Amino acid sequence: RYHLVTIPDRDRIAVLQEATPGDIQKRTKEVTFADPDVVVLSSDSAVAYVATERNLSKKPVIGIVDIVASGGPALQTQGVTVKQVITLPIFGLATAADAPVLAVANGLQVIFYDTTDPRAPVSKGTVQFVTVTPGGPVPQITTGFFIDVALSPDGKTAVILDGAADYIHVFDISDLAKPKMTNSKIKISGGASTKPVLNIPVISGLL
């Protein structure tokens, strides 16, 4: 079992291994990544996905750290470039505990990836805030700004946090290519500053 700690001021991610429950080894492996803000493990704990919220000058890239590499944890040369119309940072990442699914929230959209091969995620479906043609292939939400996302353990349900309007939206993602909204505009307390609401007492009650 592994634990990941971001160290933004040193551009590092510390990888800690838990040999037995509660026994986290003092010796760690640090991996270089500029301004790491969000990091999650794949469902099989073979890799970690990491991103920064801060860099607006380049297209956002999800770094992939190979946790079980023979020489120790290492950042893969090839990451995942997030395709988008407007360049925005990545605000949230989520993986499903028991299914090969990765979700990426970056303001105007949430993208769902199939991580059957955790080192080469494949983009499958998108939920986006920008206006789309009614009846088109991409579900439409007419409020807010997506600042985080959580997934159910089986990878079939996604809960998206709309930080601008204080809502969460629930989607059925049994088919990653065709997300279906099952509940919208569930009001939560707080405001745009309450990103930690997804980490996780509110969301765990829904999933």
Side-chain angles (χ1 to χ4, degrees):
R1 183 179 178 184
Y2 295 93
H3 299 272
L4 305 170
V5 180
T6 59
I7 315 173
D9 60 342
R10 291 175 52 196
D11 292 340
R12 295 284 192 276
I13 303 161
V15 180
L16 297 83
Q17 186 171 10
E18 186 174 3
T20 58
D23 179 21
I24 298 177
Q25 295 180 3
K26 293 181 179 179
R27 181 174 176 270
T28 66
K29 166 73 175 182
E30 293 188 2
V31 179
T32 300
F33 189 89
D35 289 330
D37 286 308
V38 285
V39 59
V40 292
L41 279 170
S42 60
S43 58
D44 61 1
S45 297
V47 307
Y49 303 108
V50 59
T52 178
E53 294 181 356
R54 308 176 196 187
N55 191 351
L56 288 172
S57 63
K58 300 179 180 178
K59 290 183 178 180
V61 174
I62 301 168
I64 301 176
V65 178
D66 192 331
I67 300 293
V68 295
S70 58
L75 185 68
Q76 286 189 181
T77 303
Q78 186 68 37
V80 179
T81 300
V82 178
K83 297 179 180 179
Q84 52 186 319
V85 178
I86 301 172
T87 300
L88 290 169
I90 294 169
F91 295 102
L93 298 175
T95 51
D98 303 318
V101 181
L102 167 68
V104 180
N106 70 325
L108 299 184
Q109 62 186 355
V110 175
I111 307 170
F112 300 104
Y113 292 84
D114 182 333
T115 59
T116 300
D117 179 352
R119 295 167 182 80
V122 177
S123 176
K124 289 292 186 178
T126 304
V127 171
Q128 62 186 39
F129 167 62
V130 295
T131 301
V132 296
T133 303
V138 180
Q140 180 181 7
I141 294 179
T142 57
T143 62
F145 197 74
F146 304 150
I147 60 173
D148 215 341
V149 58
L151 299 176
S152 60
D154 63 6
K156 294 182 178 181
T157 303
V159 179
I160 299 170
L161 176 60
D162 177 345
D166 241 7
Y167 292 123
I168 54 176
H169 308 279
V170 183
F171 280 81
D172 177 350
I173 57 169
S174 300
D175 182 347
L176 290 180
K178 299 177 180 178
K180 297 178 182 179
M181 185 184 293
T182 59
N183 208 333
S184 181
K185 296 185 179 180
I186 302 172
K187 190 69 176 177
I188 57 174
S189 60
S193 63
T194 58
K195 176 177 175 179
V197 74
L198 242 64
N199 294 330
I200 251 175
V202 171
I203 298 306
S204 61
L206 294 173
L207 301 182

